[in-house]
Amino acid sequence: MNAAATPRPVQRLIDEFSRLPGIGPKSASRLTFFLLRAQAEHVTGLGEALLALKSETRFCSVCFNITAVETDPCAVCADEKRDGGLLCVVEEPLDVLAIERARLFRGRYHVLHGVISPVDGIGPDELRISELLQRVRTRPVKEVILATNPNLAGEATAMYLYQQLAGNGLRITRLARGLPVGGDLEYADEITLARALEGRGPM
């Protein structure tokens, strides 16, 4: 459709959808016109859910995973049945969900919110690395599992973390190679993740 012939509110929503990862102009247009045909209460519900996503969530003050505003620390950090001495370091909140689906890990998490990537201007200071180092110094952590993605940036981040953590009396491990190189944790199936956790080895 010619943008000049598209009403401004319609084009604005198409443009906003196009900003989302994995959504191209055609998909953005399909989503927009689906909502145009949808019942008003469905569109209103979507709008309210989007607003609540920002206003009713926050980062956990301990692990920096996503949690509800009124639940801090998050449910995982507050669960006394979990092993506080076992800490799994991941890139993103989606990785926490992926590991939890395997139903094997009973430790706690630390979410970096990205990886070190000089090409993208992301260094250690842009991530939750200083908080991780502070956490292992002040809490009874015995093992740190470096569960960054098995790609170039993930490996570089894991190596940097290993260098920062080594010498503190910690056992530092890396997920086993059950995970495909170049893949992301969020797309791994439960069996692959379970085997990777069980087969983790020294860094």
Side-chain angles (χ1 to χ4, degrees):
M1 180 180 286
N2 188 339
T6 307
R8 190 169 183 178
V10 175
Q11 187 60 49
R12 180 184 177 190
L13 187 55
I14 292 172
D15 293 342
E16 291 300 326
F17 274 134
S18 297
R19 296 174 185 267
L20 299 176
I23 303 295
K26 289 184 179 179
S27 294
S29 296
R30 281 195 295 268
L31 289 169
T32 299
F33 281 90
F34 170 81
L35 291 174
L36 274 172
R37 293 189 298 270
Q39 295 182 3
E41 58 265 30
H42 293 160
V43 179
T44 301
L46 175 62
E48 290 173 350
L50 288 171
L51 292 172
L53 181 68
K54 299 300 289 184
S55 64
E56 298 178 17
T57 62
R58 58 167 293 166
F59 294 142
C60 172
S61 60
V62 178
C63 72
F64 299 97
N65 193 15
I66 303 297
T67 186
V69 168
E70 68 275 8
T71 308
D72 187 35
C74 69
V76 172
C77 290
D79 187 350
E80 295 183 358
K81 294 180 181 179
R82 287 194 173 249
D83 185 355
L86 185 58
L87 190 62
C88 184
V89 180
V90 298
E91 295 179 17
E92 301 289 351
L94 278 173
D95 299 331
V96 174
L97 295 178
I99 292 175
E100 286 295 288
R101 284 198 303 269
R103 298 181 182 179
L104 178 72
F105 182 69
R106 294 303 298 165
R108 294 182 178 161
Y109 297 94
H110 189 90
V111 183
L112 298 173
H113 289 279
V115 287
I116 297 171
S117 178
V119 174
D120 298 316
I122 302 173
D125 293 341
E126 280 70 51
L127 307 177
R128 298 291 186 173
I129 292 177
S130 62
E131 290 89 345
L132 171 64
L133 300 178
Q134 177 68 13
R135 191 173 176 186
V136 299
R137 283 195 295 264
T138 59
R139 295 174 183 261
V141 177
K142 297 178 183 178
E143 178 181 352
V144 176
I145 304 170
L146 300 178
T148 53
N149 289 315
N151 52 34
L152 188 61
E155 293 291 348
T157 302
M159 183 55 64
Y160 177 85
L161 292 176
Y162 175 76
Q163 293 169 348
Q164 297 298 309
L165 294 166
N168 289 322
L170 295 168
R171 182 174 186 235
I172 305 171
T173 56
R174 186 89 169 101
L175 289 184
R177 295 302 183 195
L179 294 171
V181 175
D184 290 340
L185 284 177
E186 64 180 284
Y187 300 119
D189 62 271
E190 290 88 344
I191 294 175
T192 299
L193 270 171
R195 287 177 178 172
L197 280 166
E198 289 174 337
R200 66 183 184 272
M203 184 72 178

